Amino acid sequence: MTETTEYPGSSLGLPASGRGSLATWRARVSALVIDWGASMAVAVGAFGGGVFEANTWQSWMILAVFFVEKALLTAFTGSSFGQLITGVGVTRVDGSPLGWWRALARAAMVSIVLPAVVIGSDRRGLNDLLLDSVVVTRR
């Protein structure tokens, strides 16, 4: 009789811990906070304090910077700025890089929030389920 131990990511063939395992919630949320903070700093530096005022075009610049940062860095490195710092990354389930169109689509879905917070099995948001991607530990 074989005893199987189920853990998050086992159904995807990922290891239980270490490099390549599912990223923890703590690392993922920390990465998001770092990404948003960095986007705020860049937006204020580039567009001024008007980014914090309602009903101006500048009020959208934090989100625009966040989208561009998330899409470009994920396409180039497999991780956003915050994910690089926290040691997590995004890959396809088979371990291959996301590629340009998946990185852009994922950044757009994270930017509109809802697909990213509708969580399915194995800690994967709707955006990851749709794009066949997974957030893994890189360390």
Side-chain angles (χ1 to χ4, degrees):
M1 177 177 199
T2 309
E3 196 174 308
T4 59
T5 304
E6 292 294 319
Y7 57 88
S10 64
S11 65
L12 300 172
L14 302 175
S17 62
R19 188 175 181 91
S21 64
L22 279 180
T24 64
W25 285 116
R26 181 178 180 179
R28 293 176 72 166
V29 171
S30 297
L32 184 62
V33 169
I34 292 167
D35 282 335
W36 192 256
S39 297
M40 286 174 62
V42 169
V44 167
F47 303 103
V51 298
F52 298 116
E53 296 174 17
N55 301 324
T56 67
W57 68 270
Q58 291 171 310
S59 64
W60 290 96
M61 291 303 100
I62 297 172
L63 183 61
V65 169
F66 177 81
F67 169 77
V68 169
E69 175 265 331
K70 193 119 178 117
L72 290 180
L73 282 177
T74 301
F76 282 120
T77 68
S79 298
S80 66
F81 177 68
Q83 289 171 333
L84 287 168
I85 291 172
T86 59
V88 300
V90 184
T91 65
R92 295 188 57 196
V93 173
D94 65 8
S96 62
L98 283 185
W100 278 101
W101 79 267
R102 279 186 176 86
L104 286 170
R106 190 173 191 284
M109 286 189 258
V110 170
S111 295
I112 61 172
V113 179
L114 187 60
V117 297
V118 176
I119 304 298
S121 63
D122 293 318
R123 296 184 203 147
R124 295 171 69 205
L126 185 58
N127 56 332
D128 287 325
L129 292 170
L130 291 171
L131 296 171
D132 195 36
S133 59
V134 64
V135 182
V136 296
T137 303
R138 297 239 169 163
R139 296 181 188 173

